[in-house]
Amino acid sequence: MKKVSNGLWGLVLVLLGVALGINALGIADINFFFPGWWTLFIIVPCLIGLIGNDDKGADAIGLVIGVCLLLACQNMISFRMLWKLLPPAILVMIGLSIMFKDLWAGKVKKEMKKLQGKSGEKEYWATFSGQKLNFAGQKFTGCRLEAVFGGIKCDLRDAILEEDVFVKASGIFGGVTIYAPKDVNVQVISTSLFGGVSNEYSDRALDETKKTLYIDTTNIFGGVEIK
């Protein structure tokens, strides 16, 4: 998914460069400052996140807000009507995202609850700082990772997993990067507000013969990356 996001951001920059070149050569006069141009700073990141992120709820809400603001700036709808309709629309979208998330993640949540007690005693924080964790050669039974205005890198590539394990990871105005072992399943559920999860294991089929790394993430203006 990260490759998809990088490719889309690259395409955006290429198109912007081409447009600037066309203006510079006098081939055409592309107006970048049309009414509501600033809404693109909301629409474009949310659209790319909707395609590239596993957790799409916050990106979908942000995209709706951005599009509605653009329509209002273009006088297609009035700002008065926008402020009336936007709050209930956001509530409906949040409700739907919670409902569908609970439907597909029900089994995963049950497994996570079984494992939470085993990982609760190990907590690692990064507040206005950074922290690097390496569990190479160690028996790993799970942990809690909290990044608040900071970053945590947790390397599990050479850790010893004798059973399924649970990790709770939170990025609040910060980020968490988890390097997972190559020979495990990775199952992720997330709750995000203007943040998201990048999971390189999302397209891999589950193998019942392997141990599973369960990751529950909370992202508020931050994110969790699983490599």
Side-chain angles (χ1 to χ4, degrees):
M1 289 300 179
K2 183 179 179 182
K3 293 180 180 179
V4 174
S5 297
N6 289 343
L8 291 173
W9 276 115
L11 178 61
V12 169
L13 293 176
V14 167
L15 293 176
L16 180 59
V18 169
L20 290 172
I22 289 174
N23 280 357
L25 294 172
I27 298 174
D29 184 15
I30 301 174
N31 182 16
F32 291 98
F33 299 101
F34 55 86
W37 63 269
W38 52 270
T39 61
L40 295 180
F41 289 100
I42 302 174
I43 294 172
V44 173
C46 289
L47 182 60
I48 292 176
L50 198 62
I51 298 171
N53 290 338
D54 288 341
D55 183 21
K56 304 181 186 299
D59 291 311
I61 293 171
L63 181 61
V64 169
I65 293 173
V67 170
C68 289
L69 288 171
L70 178 59
L71 292 176
C73 291
Q74 294 286 328
N75 294 320
M76 295 183 181
I77 60 174
S78 67
F79 275 101
R80 184 177 180 181
M81 181 62 67
L82 174 65
W83 303 134
K84 287 182 178 180
L85 294 178
L86 202 54
I90 291 174
L91 289 175
V92 169
M93 293 187 67
I94 292 174
L96 289 173
S97 66
I98 292 173
M99 288 170 59
F100 285 107
K101 177 183 174 182
D102 287 342
L103 285 175
W104 76 262
K107 183 179 179 181
V108 177
K109 279 188 173 182
K110 288 180 181 179
E111 294 299 323
M112 287 185 174
K113 286 183 179 180
K114 294 178 184 178
L115 299 170
Q116 280 182 10
K118 297 180 181 180
S119 61
E121 69 276 6
K122 296 180 180 179
E123 297 186 4
Y124 303 92
W125 290 77
T127 305
F128 292 100
S129 63
Q131 187 168 177
K132 294 182 179 180
L133 307 172
N134 194 325
F135 294 90
Q138 302 178 39
K139 179 181 176 181
F140 182 74
T141 59
C143 66
R144 186 182 185 95
L145 308 171
E146 301 282 349
V148 182
F149 290 97
I152 296 178
K153 291 185 178 181
C154 180
D155 194 339
L156 302 176
R157 286 174 290 190
D158 296 315
I160 301 171
L161 275 65
E162 296 181 347
E163 57 186 353
D164 295 344
V165 296
F166 171 77
V167 172
K168 173 64 179 176
S170 299
I172 302 174
F173 290 95
V176 176
T177 301
I178 299 173
Y179 297 94
K182 300 301 180 184
D183 59 343
V184 300
N185 300 311
V186 176
Q187 292 279 3
V188 181
I189 60 172
S190 60
T191 302
S192 300
L193 177 63
F194 297 106
V197 178
S198 174
N199 178 15
E200 294 186 3
Y201 286 75
S202 60
D203 296 327
R204 300 188 185 183
L206 295 179
D207 186 342
E208 298 295 335
T209 65
K210 296 180 179 180
K211 304 294 187 296
T212 300
L213 174 61
Y214 291 96
I215 304 174
D216 184 4
T217 78
T218 301
N219 312 289
I220 302 175
F221 290 98
V224 173
E225 187 174 4
I226 304 160
K227 296 184 175 182

